[in-house]
PDB file of all heavy atoms in Angstrom:
ATOM      1  N   LEU Y 130       6.927  14.437  14.476  1.00 41.00           N
ATOM      2  CA  LEU Y 130       5.700  14.311  13.558  1.00 41.00           C
ATOM      3  C   LEU Y 130       4.467  14.574  14.283  1.00 41.00           C
ATOM      4  O   LEU Y 130       3.584  15.366  13.707  1.00 41.00           O
ATOM      5  CB  LEU Y 130       5.737  12.884  13.039  1.00 41.00           C
ATOM      6  CG  LEU Y 130       4.497  12.561  12.070  1.00 41.00           C
ATOM      7  CD1 LEU Y 130       4.576  13.522  10.950  1.00 41.00           C
ATOM      8  CD2 LEU Y 130       4.554  11.066  11.608  1.00 41.00           C
ATOM      9  N   ALA Y 131       4.292  14.022  15.553  1.00 43.00           N
ATOM     10  CA  ALA Y 131       3.069  14.277  16.297  1.00 43.00           C
ATOM     11  C   ALA Y 131       2.907  15.803  16.503  1.00 43.00           C
ATOM     12  O   ALA Y 131       1.874  16.345  16.557  1.00 43.00           O
ATOM     13  CB  ALA Y 131       3.213  13.560  17.647  1.00 43.00           C
ATOM     14  N   ASN Y 132       4.130  16.400  16.851  1.00 43.00           N
ATOM     15  CA  ASN Y 132       3.911  17.943  17.109  1.00 43.00           C
ATOM     16  C   ASN Y 132       3.630  18.720  15.826  1.00 43.00           C
ATOM     17  O   ASN Y 132       2.835  19.670  15.964  1.00 43.00           O
ATOM     18  CB  ASN Y 132       5.314  18.392  17.593  1.00 43.00           C
ATOM     19  CG  ASN Y 132       5.629  17.900  19.071  1.00 43.00           C
ATOM     20  OD1 ASN Y 132       4.728  17.694  19.775  1.00 43.00           O
ATOM     21  ND2 ASN Y 132       6.901  17.898  19.423  1.00 43.00           N
ATOM     22  N   THR Y 133       4.126  18.209  14.748  1.00 39.00           N
ATOM     23  CA  THR Y 133       3.782  18.842  13.494  1.00 39.00           C
ATOM     24  C   THR Y 133       2.226  18.724  13.176  1.00 39.00           C
ATOM     25  O   THR Y 133       1.628  19.660  12.657  1.00 39.00           O
ATOM     26  CB  THR Y 133       4.557  18.227  12.291  1.00 39.00           C
ATOM     27  OG1 THR Y 133       5.993  18.525  12.556  1.00 39.00           O
ATOM     28  CG2 THR Y 133       4.231  18.926  11.001  1.00 39.00           C
ATOM     29  N   ILE Y 134       1.798  17.463  13.501  1.00 37.00           N
ATOM     30  CA  ILE Y 134       0.287  17.293  13.200  1.00 37.00           C
ATOM     31  C   ILE Y 134      -0.425  18.229  14.090  1.00 37.00           C
ATOM     32  O   ILE Y 134      -1.442  18.843  13.668  1.00 37.00           O
ATOM     33  CB  ILE Y 134       0.002  15.815  13.511  1.00 37.00           C
ATOM     34  CG1 ILE Y 134       0.724  14.988  12.357  1.00 37.00           C
ATOM     35  CG2 ILE Y 134      -1.578  15.625  13.401  1.00 37.00           C
ATOM     36  CD1 ILE Y 134       0.646  13.469  12.673  1.00 37.00           C
ATOM     37  N   LYS Y 135      -0.144  18.211  15.373  1.00 40.00           N
ATOM     38  CA  LYS Y 135      -0.845  19.006  16.305  1.00 40.00           C
ATOM     39  C   LYS Y 135      -0.833  20.454  15.963  1.00 40.00           C
ATOM     40  O   LYS Y 135      -1.814  21.206  16.029  1.00 40.00           O
ATOM     41  CB  LYS Y 135      -0.155  18.877  17.715  1.00 40.00           C
ATOM     42  CG  LYS Y 135      -0.961  19.427  18.870  1.00 40.00           C
ATOM     43  CD  LYS Y 135      -0.353  19.075  20.246  1.00 40.00           C
ATOM     44  CE  LYS Y 135      -1.234  19.774  21.343  1.00 40.00           C
ATOM     45  NZ  LYS Y 135      -0.588  19.366  22.620  1.00 40.00           N
ATOM     46  N   GLU Y 136       0.416  20.971  15.547  1.00 41.00           N
ATOM     47  CA  GLU Y 136       0.518  22.407  15.110  1.00 41.00           C
ATOM     48  C   GLU Y 136      -0.199  22.727  13.868  1.00 41.00           C
ATOM     49  O   GLU Y 136      -0.727  23.895  13.713  1.00 41.00           O
ATOM     50  CB  GLU Y 136       1.996  22.813  14.994  1.00 41.00           C
ATOM     51  CG  GLU Y 136       2.771  22.749  16.286  1.00 41.00           C
ATOM     52  CD  GLU Y 136       4.263  22.685  16.016  1.00 41.00           C
ATOM     53  OE1 GLU Y 136       4.706  22.835  14.864  1.00 41.00           O
ATOM     54  OE2 GLU Y 136       5.039  22.719  17.027  1.00 41.00           O
ATOM     55  N   SER Y 137      -0.247  21.810  12.924  1.00 36.00           N
ATOM     56  CA  SER Y 137      -0.875  21.953  11.663  1.00 36.00           C
ATOM     57  C   SER Y 137      -2.380  22.152  11.728  1.00 36.00           C
ATOM     58  O   SER Y 137      -2.880  23.010  10.842  1.00 36.00           O
ATOM     59  CB  SER Y 137      -0.529  20.824  10.730  1.00 36.00           C
ATOM     60  OG  SER Y 137       0.824  20.736  10.394  1.00 36.00           O
ATOM     61  N   CYS Y 138      -3.097  21.474  12.584  1.00 32.00           N
ATOM     62  CA  CYS Y 138      -4.453  21.516  12.639  1.00 32.00           C
ATOM     63  C   CYS Y 138      -4.936  21.385  14.002  1.00 32.00           C
ATOM     64  O   CYS Y 138      -5.507  20.348  14.456  1.00 32.00           O
ATOM     65  CB  CYS Y 138      -4.969  20.381  11.747  1.00 32.00           C
ATOM     66  SG  CYS Y 138      -6.131  20.975  10.535  1.00 32.00           S
ATOM     67  N   GLN Y 139      -4.649  22.381  14.871  1.00 34.00           N
ATOM     68  CA  GLN Y 139      -5.075  22.364  16.263  1.00 34.00           C
ATOM     69  C   GLN Y 139      -6.503  22.231  16.356  1.00 34.00           C
ATOM     70  O   GLN Y 139      -7.239  23.006  15.980  1.00 34.00           O
ATOM     71  CB  GLN Y 139      -4.507  23.570  16.947  1.00 34.00           C
ATOM     72  CG  GLN Y 139      -4.702  23.622  18.469  1.00 34.00           C
ATOM     73  CD  GLN Y 139      -3.593  22.780  19.138  1.00 34.00           C
ATOM     74  OE1 GLN Y 139      -2.478  22.715  18.684  1.00 34.00           O
ATOM     75  NE2 GLN Y 139      -3.893  22.156  20.221  1.00 34.00           N
ATOM     76  N   ASP Y 140      -6.985  20.971  17.053  1.00 32.00           N
ATOM     77  CA  ASP Y 140      -8.340  20.879  17.290  1.00 32.00           C
ATOM     78  C   ASP Y 140      -9.278  20.730  16.156  1.00 32.00           C
ATOM     79  O   ASP Y 140     -10.442  21.009  16.188  1.00 32.00           O
ATOM     80  CB  ASP Y 140      -8.883  21.892  18.356  1.00 32.00           C
ATOM     81  CG  ASP Y 140      -8.116  21.861  19.651  1.00 32.00           C
ATOM     82  OD1 ASP Y 140      -7.884  20.770  20.139  1.00 32.00           O
ATOM     83  OD2 ASP Y 140      -7.965  22.926  20.124  1.00 32.00           O
ATOM     84  N   LYS Y 141      -8.757  20.417  14.935  1.00 28.00           N
ATOM     85  CA  LYS Y 141      -9.429  20.378  13.686  1.00 28.00           C
ATOM     86  C   LYS Y 141      -9.626  18.944  13.341  1.00 28.00           C
ATOM     87  O   LYS Y 141      -8.624  18.195  13.228  1.00 28.00           O
ATOM     88  CB  LYS Y 141      -8.690  21.201  12.531  1.00 28.00           C
ATOM     89  CG  LYS Y 141      -8.635  22.683  12.869  1.00 28.00           C
ATOM     90  CD  LYS Y 141     -10.005  23.413  13.028  1.00 28.00           C
ATOM     91  CE  LYS Y 141      -9.737  24.949  13.377  1.00 28.00           C
ATOM     92  NZ  LYS Y 141     -11.010  25.586  13.538  1.00 28.00           N
TER      93      LYS Y 141
END
Side-chain angles (χ1 to χ4, degrees):
L130 180 59
N132 289 337
T133 298
I134 294 167
K135 189 174 182 180
E136 293 167 2
S137 297
C138 238
Q139 189 78 30
D140 299 322
K141 300 295 183 182

